[in-house]
Amino acid sequence: MNTGNFVRIYLFLMLMMTSGVSFASIQVGGTRVIFPASDHEASLQVRNEGTDDIMIQSWIEAGPEQAERDIPFAITPSLARLSHRKQQTLRIFYQGKGLPEDRESVVWVSVQEIPQVSELDNTLQVAFRQRLKLFYRPNGLPGTADEAASALKWNILKTAGKTILLATNDSAFHVSFAKVAIVAGDKEYAVEPTMVGPRDAQRMVIKGIPATAGGEAAIAWESINDYGALIEHKASIKF
């Protein structure tokens, strides 16, 4: 660690020990939001578990390969006051056009806590933000999101002396991961997982695997379903 970073960390820790510090109070109901096209709106519950009143600010951000101006969603209320142990329902609306109808689309929902102005001196206040994926799901898509996670196609690529894992998703749904690993011989190698979009493929780095690895292996992955639960999968793979 260089001297500049050490000094900044030291000063920050000293400030925390000598000052009051505001920590995150909001609890968001869920890890993701699913918005079926058959529904008129989606909702998200936010609860204040802290001891003080807070303000929350909410907004929607562009997903991968989207421009901010192309977001066809609105969220209300965008700004709200939350008392201790109270909750607020955030309502999300889709304008009815602007997204593909043959596959899922994803954007981000951000909820930020804005602490009230402290009456104490030397108080460090931090605005905490939580970010969730919002999946817009058109009507009539073939298959299900759970089937998409099970039906992924996996391949090993060796390029420029590196071993890469390729995940191909032929479905109309996104597949998100909590964990991906390669088991070769008696060793397990962690993979840096990346969400795979509909009818898309993603390359993932396999950590620490030797360039000489080959033969039969197994791949194990945990997908995240609509409710945030982890689903385990396993398949054989060849180098």
Side-chain angles (χ1 to χ4, degrees), residues 3-226:
T3 304
N5 287 339
F6 178 81
V7 171
R8 281 191 288 270
I9 293 172
Y10 175 79
L11 291 175
F12 177 73
L13 291 175
M14 290 299 294
L15 182 61
M16 289 182 66
M17 288 187 289
T18 58
S19 308
V21 182
S22 294
F23 292 101
S25 301
I26 58 173
Q27 182 181 82
V28 178
T31 61
R32 60 204 47 239
V33 180
I34 308 297
F35 193 153
S38 56
D39 294 349
H40 296 295
E41 64 182 69
S43 62
L44 180 65
Q45 300 292 329
V46 181
R47 182 177 175 85
N48 179 10
E49 294 291 353
T51 56
D52 300 319
D53 291 357
I54 59 172
M55 297 292 291
I56 58 168
Q57 182 179 14
S58 308
W59 68 95
I60 298 178
E61 300 176 80
E65 301 180 0
Q66 282 182 316
E68 293 293 341
R69 64 178 181 275
D70 295 333
I71 302 176
F73 292 97
I75 187 167
T76 184
S78 58
L79 191 65
R81 182 186 179 93
L82 263 182
S83 301
H84 169 58
R85 296 291 184 182
K86 297 297 183 180
Q87 68 178 28
Q88 174 71 54
T89 299
L90 303 179
R91 302 170 67 195
I92 302 168
F93 300 93
Y94 174 52
Q95 71 178 21
K97 60 181 180 179
L99 296 177
E101 292 299 322
D102 64 342
R103 67 192 68 191
E104 269 189 344
S105 297
V106 62
V107 295
W108 290 100
V109 178
S110 288
V111 182
Q112 180 170 287
E113 172 188 338
I114 305 174
Q116 299 294 301
V117 176
S118 175
E119 297 178 354
L120 301 175
D121 294 331
N122 300 322
T123 299
L124 175 65
Q125 293 183 299
V126 181
F128 291 92
R129 181 177 68 158
Q130 297 195 41
R131 212 165 172 238
L132 299 85
K133 291 174 183 173
L134 165 65
F135 296 94
Y136 176 74
R137 188 169 292 169
N139 295 323
L141 297 182
T144 67
D146 289 340
E147 291 170 350
S150 300
L152 288 172
K153 296 177 182 176
W154 301 94
N155 290 283
I156 298 290
L157 304 178
K158 294 194 176 185
T159 57
K162 295 183 179 180
T163 305
I164 301 294
L165 180 64
L166 179 69
T168 303
N169 177 12
D170 293 328
S171 79
F173 300 86
H174 290 81
V175 179
S176 299
F177 304 98
K179 177 183 177 181
V180 181
I182 296 289
V183 181
D186 58 349
K187 292 186 178 181
E188 180 175 297
Y189 301 94
V191 175
E192 295 181 2
T194 302
M195 182 178 69
V196 188
R199 304 186 182 105
D200 195 10
Q202 288 289 342
R203 296 186 175 201
M204 306 180 191
V205 175
I206 307 173
K207 298 180 180 179
I209 195 165
T212 56
E216 295 283 346
I219 179 167
W221 68 101
E222 292 180 355
S223 61
I224 306 173
N225 70 9
D226 287 354

